[in-house]
Amino acid sequence: MSETEKTRYSDAELAEFKQIILEKLEKAKADYDLLRATITHTSSNGTDDTSPTFKILEEGAATLSKEESGRLAARQYKFIQNLEAALVRIENKTYGICRETGKLIPKERLRVVPHATLSIEAKESGVK
């Protein structure tokens, strides 16, 4: 039976994907925690005795850094949610099935993007 004829991945294949997702999830949560720490813990660099102009520039850079960290943290949180949703699909045995075409998403794509819900074919056709 070829992969295009299969309607779902086997339990063994799902277990392999689950392991990949769990590893990515662990790293993603660690990265998210680091980003949150960056946002919530501001350290003083002892610039109180330097010129006011320098202090203003430094505070501007710190704000930009916090904003960027906030955006990265939001993206990381969404990535974590997508990975957790993929784990639910594994439990439901619907993991790896394109939500648009109903065909199996190739293993190669799932190994790179384990939270994918669209095949490349559906993604390229502009389906949202």
Side-chain angles (χ1 to χ4, degrees):
M1 180 184 284
S2 75
E3 203 156 303
T4 55
E5 294 171 341
K6 287 170 55 174
T7 58
R8 78 169 187 88
Y9 284 111
S10 71
D11 290 349
E13 290 166 321
L14 291 176
E16 175 192 338
F17 287 124
K18 184 175 184 176
Q19 192 56 45
I20 291 169
I21 292 168
L22 288 173
E23 288 169 13
K24 286 193 181 274
L25 192 56
E26 185 178 337
K27 183 178 179 342
K29 285 181 177 180
D31 290 347
Y32 178 70
D33 290 342
L34 280 174
L35 285 166
R36 288 206 31 171
T38 302
I39 295 166
T40 57
H41 296 91
T42 56
S43 61
S44 173
N45 291 330
T47 57
D48 294 338
D49 59 349
T50 59
S51 72
T53 305
F54 179 76
K55 183 150 179 69
I56 290 169
L57 290 173
E58 185 180 74
E59 286 174 352
T63 301
L64 181 63
S65 176
K66 269 189 166 187
E67 288 172 4
E68 183 63 24
S69 293
R71 280 193 292 275
L72 289 171
R75 284 181 57 198
Q76 195 68 11
Y77 184 71
K78 186 173 183 187
F79 180 54
I80 289 168
Q81 289 181 313
N82 287 336
L83 289 172
E84 289 173 342
L87 289 175
V88 170
R89 290 192 301 279
I90 285 175
E91 294 305 314
N92 295 339
K93 301 189 188 309
T94 59
Y95 178 80
I97 300 169
C98 177
R99 64 182 157 90
E100 194 58 38
T101 66
K103 297 176 187 171
L104 282 184
I105 299 169
K107 284 183 184 182
E108 299 75 35
R109 173 160 167 72
L110 292 172
R111 285 188 181 111
V112 176
V113 186
H115 58 286
T117 59
L118 290 173
S119 63
I120 293 291
E121 171 190 346
K123 190 173 174 79
E124 288 178 348
S125 70
V127 177
K128 298 274 189 261

